[in-house]
Amino acid sequence: MRKAIAVIVLALFSLSPATVLAQDANEVVPGGFGLAKAQALLNRLADRAAFGDFCAFAQIQGPAGSFNIQPVITNYMPEEVIVTMIDVFRAKNRESLLIDSVFGFGPSTGGTLVDEYPNGLPGAGPAVLLTTGWGFGESIYFNLDPDTYDDPSYGATVEEMTGTMIMVVYDGARRCAGMLNWNPILNASIGFLRQTSPAP
C-alpha cells in the first residue's frame, strides 16, 4: 500500500491538472481512489504557486488511531538527501509533541540511516536523522515515539501527527519541507515536500 501511494503521487506530478481532471472520476488506480479525487487532494495540500519543485513524499500508514508511527519518505530529486528533520511542535492539534526516541531504521538500498538526535538522550523536540546513499526513487523508514511534554508515556496516534513538519537537506543547495495531513481516503497521514531553498 505504501508503495502504491508513492507511485500514484509520482504519476500525478507527471500529468497536467487538465489531463487528470479529464479522467473519469470513477476510474480506480492502485490504492483504490479516483484520479480526479487524487488531483483535488494534491491541489489542496500542495500549493504550486507558493512553493518550488516537488522533492519528496512522506506518509505514515493508518488507521487514524494507530500508535504505530512509522514515517516512510521517498526522494524524487536527483541529489541525495543527507539530513532529515521531523518537527512535531505543531502536531496534536498544535498542542505540540516531542520525539522521545527513534528506532526500527530502514535505510535506502546500500545507504545508511543514523539517529543523530535524540539518539538516546531525553527527547526535547524534533528528531534529526543523517543519511547516505539516499537517491532518486528510493525510500527510507523509521519508527518514532512521540510523547507530550507533560506525559512521557503518551501514545500519539497517526492522525495526531497532522501538523508535523518534515524537512530534508540535499547534498547541495536544495532544501525542501512539507507538512503531514491525515487523509481518510488514503488511510494515511501524507505530506508533499517542496523546495524552500534556493527560493522558488
Side-chain angles (χ1 to χ4, degrees), residues 86-92 94-99 125-127 144 146-147 149 160-165:
I86 302 94
D87 183 355
V88 291
F89 193 75
R90 284 171 284 193
K92 198 176 177 285
R94 297 183 178 267
E95 292 178 26
S96 186
L97 296 170
L98 58 81
I99 302 299
L144 300 173
D147 297 320
Y149 282 86
E160 287 177 329
M161 294 299 286
T162 289
T164 296
M165 182 66 70

PDB file of all heavy atoms in Angstrom, residues 86-92 94-99 125-127 144 146-147 149 160-165:
ATOM      1  N   ILE A  86      12.381  15.991  11.638  1.00  0.00           N
ATOM      2  CA  ILE A  86      10.957  15.776  11.874  1.00  0.00           C
ATOM      3  C   ILE A  86      10.554  16.633  13.061  1.00  0.00           C
ATOM      4  O   ILE A  86      10.931  16.354  14.201  1.00  0.00           O
ATOM      5  CB  ILE A  86      10.632  14.290  12.137  1.00  0.00           C
ATOM      6  CG1 ILE A  86      11.082  13.427  10.957  1.00  0.00           C
ATOM      7  CG2 ILE A  86       9.131  14.110  12.350  1.00  0.00           C
ATOM      8  CD1 ILE A  86      12.454  12.850  11.114  1.00  0.00           C
ATOM      9  N   ASP A  87       9.801  17.697  12.784  1.00  0.00           N
ATOM     10  CA  ASP A  87       9.403  18.657  13.806  1.00  0.00           C
ATOM     11  C   ASP A  87       7.926  18.464  14.149  1.00  0.00           C
ATOM     12  O   ASP A  87       7.052  18.720  13.320  1.00  0.00           O
ATOM     13  CB  ASP A  87       9.637  20.077  13.288  1.00  0.00           C
ATOM     14  CG  ASP A  87       9.325  21.147  14.321  1.00  0.00           C
ATOM     15  OD1 ASP A  87       8.843  20.803  15.418  1.00  0.00           O
ATOM     16  OD2 ASP A  87       9.553  22.333  14.028  1.00  0.00           O
ATOM     17  N   VAL A  88       7.650  18.001  15.372  1.00  0.00           N
ATOM     18  CA  VAL A  88       6.272  17.686  15.781  1.00  0.00           C
ATOM     19  C   VAL A  88       5.686  18.776  16.682  1.00  0.00           C
ATOM     20  O   VAL A  88       4.698  18.553  17.388  1.00  0.00           O
ATOM     21  CB  VAL A  88       6.217  16.315  16.492  1.00  0.00           C
ATOM     22  CG1 VAL A  88       6.477  15.189  15.515  1.00  0.00           C
ATOM     23  CG2 VAL A  88       7.220  16.258  17.646  1.00  0.00           C
ATOM     24  N   PHE A  89       6.247  19.970  16.643  1.00  0.00           N
ATOM     25  CA  PHE A  89       5.785  21.044  17.533  1.00  0.00           C
ATOM     26  C   PHE A  89       4.348  21.450  17.243  1.00  0.00           C
ATOM     27  O   PHE A  89       3.612  21.853  18.140  1.00  0.00           O
ATOM     28  CB  PHE A  89       6.704  22.263  17.400  1.00  0.00           C
ATOM     29  CG  PHE A  89       6.499  23.285  18.482  1.00  0.00           C
ATOM     30  CD1 PHE A  89       6.968  23.069  19.765  1.00  0.00           C
ATOM     31  CD2 PHE A  89       5.816  24.456  18.221  1.00  0.00           C
ATOM     32  CE1 PHE A  89       6.777  24.002  20.768  1.00  0.00           C
ATOM     33  CE2 PHE A  89       5.616  25.408  19.218  1.00  0.00           C
ATOM     34  CZ  PHE A  89       6.100  25.173  20.493  1.00  0.00           C
ATOM     35  N   ARG A  90       3.916  21.342  15.972  1.00  0.00           N
ATOM     36  CA  ARG A  90       2.552  21.725  15.615  1.00  0.00           C
ATOM     37  C   ARG A  90       1.604  20.532  15.485  1.00  0.00           C
ATOM     38  O   ARG A  90       0.477  20.678  15.027  1.00  0.00           O
ATOM     39  CB  ARG A  90       2.565  22.523  14.310  1.00  0.00           C
ATOM     40  CG  ARG A  90       3.053  23.951  14.497  1.00  0.00           C
ATOM     41  CD  ARG A  90       3.260  24.648  13.184  1.00  0.00           C
ATOM     42  NE  ARG A  90       4.494  24.181  12.565  1.00  0.00           N
ATOM     43  CZ  ARG A  90       5.083  24.783  11.528  1.00  0.00           C
ATOM     44  NH1 ARG A  90       4.536  25.853  10.997  1.00  0.00           N
ATOM     45  NH2 ARG A  90       6.201  24.311  11.038  1.00  0.00           N
ATOM     46  N   ALA A  91       2.067  19.357  15.902  1.00  0.00           N
ATOM     47  CA  ALA A  91       1.217  18.171  15.846  1.00  0.00           C
ATOM     48  C   ALA A  91       0.227  18.178  17.012  1.00  0.00           C
ATOM     49  O   ALA A  91       0.241  19.077  17.863  1.00  0.00           O
ATOM     50  CB  ALA A  91       2.074  16.909  15.901  1.00  0.00           C
ATOM     51  N   LYS A  92      -0.653  17.173  17.032  1.00  0.00           N
ATOM     52  CA  LYS A  92      -1.664  17.034  18.086  1.00  0.00           C
ATOM     53  C   LYS A  92      -2.478  18.319  18.241  1.00  0.00           C
ATOM     54  O   LYS A  92      -2.577  18.903  19.313  1.00  0.00           O
ATOM     55  CB  LYS A  92      -1.029  16.642  19.421  1.00  0.00           C
ATOM     56  CG  LYS A  92      -2.018  16.073  20.437  1.00  0.00           C
ATOM     57  CD  LYS A  92      -1.285  15.628  21.710  1.00  0.00           C
ATOM     58  CE  LYS A  92      -2.292  15.127  22.721  1.00  0.00           C
ATOM     59  NZ  LYS A  92      -3.052  16.203  23.360  1.00  0.00           N
ATOM     60  N   ARG A  94      -1.836  21.263  17.309  1.00  0.00           N
ATOM     61  CA  ARG A  94      -0.951  22.366  17.696  1.00  0.00           C
ATOM     62  C   ARG A  94      -0.664  22.406  19.197  1.00  0.00           C
ATOM     63  O   ARG A  94      -0.121  23.398  19.706  1.00  0.00           O
ATOM     64  CB  ARG A  94      -1.503  23.726  17.231  1.00  0.00           C
ATOM     65  CG  ARG A  94      -1.598  23.848  15.718  1.00  0.00           C
ATOM     66  CD  ARG A  94      -2.077  25.217  15.302  1.00  0.00           C
ATOM     67  NE  ARG A  94      -2.115  25.330  13.861  1.00  0.00           N
ATOM     68  CZ  ARG A  94      -1.111  25.815  13.121  1.00  0.00           C
ATOM     69  NH1 ARG A  94      -0.006  26.198  13.703  1.00  0.00           N
ATOM     70  NH2 ARG A  94      -1.243  25.885  11.813  1.00  0.00           N
ATOM     71  N   GLU A  95      -1.018  21.330  19.904  1.00  0.00           N
ATOM     72  CA  GLU A  95      -0.678  21.261  21.328  1.00  0.00           C
ATOM     73  C   GLU A  95       0.786  20.900  21.521  1.00  0.00           C
ATOM     74  O   GLU A  95       1.338  21.104  22.594  1.00  0.00           O
ATOM     75  CB  GLU A  95      -1.559  20.234  22.035  1.00  0.00           C
ATOM     76  CG  GLU A  95      -3.026  20.632  22.119  1.00  0.00           C
ATOM     77  CD  GLU A  95      -3.868  19.560  22.776  1.00  0.00           C
ATOM     78  OE1 GLU A  95      -3.308  18.775  23.580  1.00  0.00           O
ATOM     79  OE2 GLU A  95      -5.063  19.484  22.484  1.00  0.00           O
ATOM     80  N   SER A  96       1.408  20.320  20.503  1.00  0.00           N
ATOM     81  CA  SER A  96       2.825  20.015  20.464  1.00  0.00           C
ATOM     82  C   SER A  96       3.160  18.642  21.031  1.00  0.00           C
ATOM     83  O   SER A  96       2.645  18.219  22.065  1.00  0.00           O
ATOM     84  CB  SER A  96       3.644  21.077  21.211  1.00  0.00           C
ATOM     85  OG  SER A  96       5.020  20.828  21.043  1.00  0.00           O
ATOM     86  N   LEU A  97       4.022  17.956  20.319  1.00  0.00           N
ATOM     87  CA  LEU A  97       4.594  16.697  20.773  1.00  0.00           C
ATOM     88  C   LEU A  97       6.112  16.857  20.820  1.00  0.00           C
ATOM     89  O   LEU A  97       6.658  17.876  20.396  1.00  0.00           O
ATOM     90  CB  LEU A  97       4.235  15.565  19.807  1.00  0.00           C
ATOM     91  CG  LEU A  97       2.752  15.199  19.677  1.00  0.00           C
ATOM     92  CD1 LEU A  97       2.548  14.240  18.510  1.00  0.00           C
ATOM     93  CD2 LEU A  97       2.222  14.589  20.969  1.00  0.00           C
ATOM     94  N   LEU A  98       6.786  15.851  21.354  1.00  0.00           N
ATOM     95  CA  LEU A  98       8.242  15.784  21.273  1.00  0.00           C
ATOM     96  C   LEU A  98       8.608  14.359  20.900  1.00  0.00           C
ATOM     97  O   LEU A  98       7.852  13.419  21.140  1.00  0.00           O
ATOM     98  CB  LEU A  98       8.908  16.205  22.584  1.00  0.00           C
ATOM     99  CG  LEU A  98       8.554  15.451  23.881  1.00  0.00           C
ATOM    100  CD1 LEU A  98       9.330  14.154  24.004  1.00  0.00           C
ATOM    101  CD2 LEU A  98       8.827  16.333  25.086  1.00  0.00           C
ATOM    102  N   ILE A  99       9.759  14.181  20.272  1.00  0.00           N
ATOM    103  CA  ILE A  99      10.206  12.853  19.871  1.00  0.00           C
ATOM    104  C   ILE A  99      11.082  12.289  20.980  1.00  0.00           C
ATOM    105  O   ILE A  99      12.190  12.759  21.221  1.00  0.00           O
ATOM    106  CB  ILE A  99      10.987  12.896  18.546  1.00  0.00           C
ATOM    107  CG1 ILE A  99      10.134  13.491  17.433  1.00  0.00           C
ATOM    108  CG2 ILE A  99      11.458  11.493  18.174  1.00  0.00           C
ATOM    109  CD1 ILE A  99       8.869  12.728  17.128  1.00  0.00           C
ATOM    110  N   GLY A 125      12.229  17.594  21.620  1.00  0.00           N
ATOM    111  CA  GLY A 125      11.668  18.300  20.475  1.00  0.00           C
ATOM    112  C   GLY A 125      11.713  17.452  19.232  1.00  0.00           C
ATOM    113  O   GLY A 125      11.248  16.314  19.226  1.00  0.00           O
ATOM    114  N   PRO A 126      12.311  17.985  18.145  1.00  0.00           N
ATOM    115  CA  PRO A 126      12.322  17.275  16.866  1.00  0.00           C
ATOM    116  C   PRO A 126      13.354  16.150  16.841  1.00  0.00           C
ATOM    117  O   PRO A 126      14.193  16.028  17.733  1.00  0.00           O
ATOM    118  CB  PRO A 126      12.687  18.377  15.867  1.00  0.00           C
ATOM    119  CG  PRO A 126      13.492  19.344  16.675  1.00  0.00           C
ATOM    120  CD  PRO A 126      12.893  19.319  18.054  1.00  0.00           C
ATOM    121  N   ALA A 127      13.280  15.340  15.783  1.00  0.00           N
ATOM    122  CA  ALA A 127      14.284  14.311  15.532  1.00  0.00           C
ATOM    123  C   ALA A 127      15.138  14.744  14.351  1.00  0.00           C
ATOM    124  O   ALA A 127      14.662  15.425  13.439  1.00  0.00           O
ATOM    125  CB  ALA A 127      13.623  12.973  15.231  1.00  0.00           C
ATOM    126  N   LEU A 144       8.928   6.319  15.220  1.00  0.00           N
ATOM    127  CA  LEU A 144       9.032   7.406  16.192  1.00  0.00           C
ATOM    128  C   LEU A 144       8.208   7.093  17.433  1.00  0.00           C
ATOM    129  O   LEU A 144       7.173   6.432  17.340  1.00  0.00           O
ATOM    130  CB  LEU A 144       8.515   8.718  15.588  1.00  0.00           C
ATOM    131  CG  LEU A 144       9.220   9.252  14.342  1.00  0.00           C
ATOM    132  CD1 LEU A 144       8.474  10.462  13.799  1.00  0.00           C
ATOM    133  CD2 LEU A 144      10.661   9.608  14.651  1.00  0.00           C
ATOM    134  N   PRO A 146       6.459   9.517  19.707  1.00  0.00           N
ATOM    135  CA  PRO A 146       6.104  10.889  20.070  1.00  0.00           C
ATOM    136  C   PRO A 146       5.333  10.919  21.396  1.00  0.00           C
ATOM    137  O   PRO A 146       4.352  10.189  21.570  1.00  0.00           O
ATOM    138  CB  PRO A 146       5.221  11.356  18.915  1.00  0.00           C
ATOM    139  CG  PRO A 146       5.176  10.211  17.938  1.00  0.00           C
ATOM    140  CD  PRO A 146       5.564   8.993  18.689  1.00  0.00           C
ATOM    141  N   ASP A 147       5.767  11.763  22.310  1.00  0.00           N
ATOM    142  CA  ASP A 147       5.106  11.947  23.599  1.00  0.00           C
ATOM    143  C   ASP A 147       4.726  13.409  23.765  1.00  0.00           C
ATOM    144  O   ASP A 147       5.075  14.255  22.934  1.00  0.00           O
ATOM    145  CB  ASP A 147       6.027  11.516  24.748  1.00  0.00           C
ATOM    146  CG  ASP A 147       6.372  10.030  24.689  1.00  0.00           C
ATOM    147  OD1 ASP A 147       5.471   9.231  24.377  1.00  0.00           O
ATOM    148  OD2 ASP A 147       7.532   9.682  24.938  1.00  0.00           O
ATOM    149  N   TYR A 149       4.841  16.898  26.366  1.00  0.00           N
ATOM    150  CA  TYR A 149       5.819  17.461  27.297  1.00  0.00           C
ATOM    151  C   TYR A 149       5.491  17.133  28.745  1.00  0.00           C
ATOM    152  O   TYR A 149       6.373  17.128  29.594  1.00  0.00           O
ATOM    153  CB  TYR A 149       5.914  18.977  27.092  1.00  0.00           C
ATOM    154  CG  TYR A 149       6.741  19.342  25.891  1.00  0.00           C
ATOM    155  CD1 TYR A 149       6.171  19.397  24.623  1.00  0.00           C
ATOM    156  CD2 TYR A 149       8.095  19.602  26.007  1.00  0.00           C
ATOM    157  CE1 TYR A 149       6.925  19.710  23.514  1.00  0.00           C
ATOM    158  CE2 TYR A 149       8.867  19.914  24.908  1.00  0.00           C
ATOM    159  CZ  TYR A 149       8.270  19.971  23.651  1.00  0.00           C
ATOM    160  OH  TYR A 149       9.033  20.265  22.550  1.00  0.00           O
ATOM    161  N   GLU A 160      -2.938  12.184  14.928  1.00  0.00           N
ATOM    162  CA  GLU A 160      -2.390  13.301  15.708  1.00  0.00           C
ATOM    163  C   GLU A 160      -1.067  13.809  15.150  1.00  0.00           C
ATOM    164  O   GLU A 160      -0.608  14.886  15.538  1.00  0.00           O
ATOM    165  CB  GLU A 160      -2.200  12.875  17.164  1.00  0.00           C
ATOM    166  CG  GLU A 160      -3.502  12.752  17.926  1.00  0.00           C
ATOM    167  CD  GLU A 160      -3.307  12.267  19.350  1.00  0.00           C
ATOM    168  OE1 GLU A 160      -2.355  11.500  19.620  1.00  0.00           O
ATOM    169  OE2 GLU A 160      -4.112  12.667  20.214  1.00  0.00           O
ATOM    170  N   MET A 161      -0.470  13.096  14.199  1.00  0.00           N
ATOM    171  CA  MET A 161       0.773  13.564  13.585  1.00  0.00           C
ATOM    172  C   MET A 161       0.510  14.660  12.553  1.00  0.00           C
ATOM    173  O   MET A 161       1.454  15.268  12.036  1.00  0.00           O
ATOM    174  CB  MET A 161       1.512  12.397  12.937  1.00  0.00           C
ATOM    175  CG  MET A 161       2.013  11.367  13.937  1.00  0.00           C
ATOM    176  SD  MET A 161       3.193  12.042  15.135  1.00  0.00           S
ATOM    177  CE  MET A 161       4.644  12.223  14.088  1.00  0.00           C
ATOM    178  N   THR A 162      -0.768  14.929  12.249  1.00  0.00           N
ATOM    179  CA  THR A 162      -1.102  16.055  11.375  1.00  0.00           C
ATOM    180  C   THR A 162      -0.483  17.335  11.939  1.00  0.00           C
ATOM    181  O   THR A 162      -0.603  17.613  13.128  1.00  0.00           O
ATOM    182  CB  THR A 162      -2.628  16.226  11.269  1.00  0.00           C
ATOM    183  OG1 THR A 162      -3.158  15.140  10.509  1.00  0.00           O
ATOM    184  CG2 THR A 162      -2.997  17.531  10.584  1.00  0.00           C
ATOM    185  N   GLY A 163       0.159  18.102  11.084  1.00  0.00           N
ATOM    186  CA  GLY A 163       0.853  19.313  11.517  1.00  0.00           C
ATOM    187  C   GLY A 163       2.352  19.112  11.659  1.00  0.00           C
ATOM    188  O   GLY A 163       3.099  20.086  11.794  1.00  0.00           O
ATOM    189  N   THR A 164       2.799  17.857  11.610  1.00  0.00           N
ATOM    190  CA  THR A 164       4.232  17.568  11.675  1.00  0.00           C
ATOM    191  C   THR A 164       4.927  18.095  10.425  1.00  0.00           C
ATOM    192  O   THR A 164       4.477  17.857   9.306  1.00  0.00           O
ATOM    193  CB  THR A 164       4.476  16.050  11.788  1.00  0.00           C
ATOM    194  OG1 THR A 164       3.928  15.582  13.018  1.00  0.00           O
ATOM    195  CG2 THR A 164       5.956  15.717  11.724  1.00  0.00           C
ATOM    196  N   MET A 165       6.011  18.824  10.620  1.00  0.00           N
ATOM    197  CA  MET A 165       6.788  19.338   9.502  1.00  0.00           C
ATOM    198  C   MET A 165       7.987  18.426   9.269  1.00  0.00           C
ATOM    199  O   MET A 165       8.732  18.122  10.201  1.00  0.00           O
ATOM    200  CB  MET A 165       7.277  20.762   9.785  1.00  0.00           C
ATOM    201  CG  MET A 165       8.048  21.389   8.647  1.00  0.00           C
ATOM    202  SD  MET A 165       7.037  21.683   7.161  1.00  0.00           S
ATOM    203  CE  MET A 165       5.988  23.027   7.734  1.00  0.00           C
TER     204      MET A 165
END
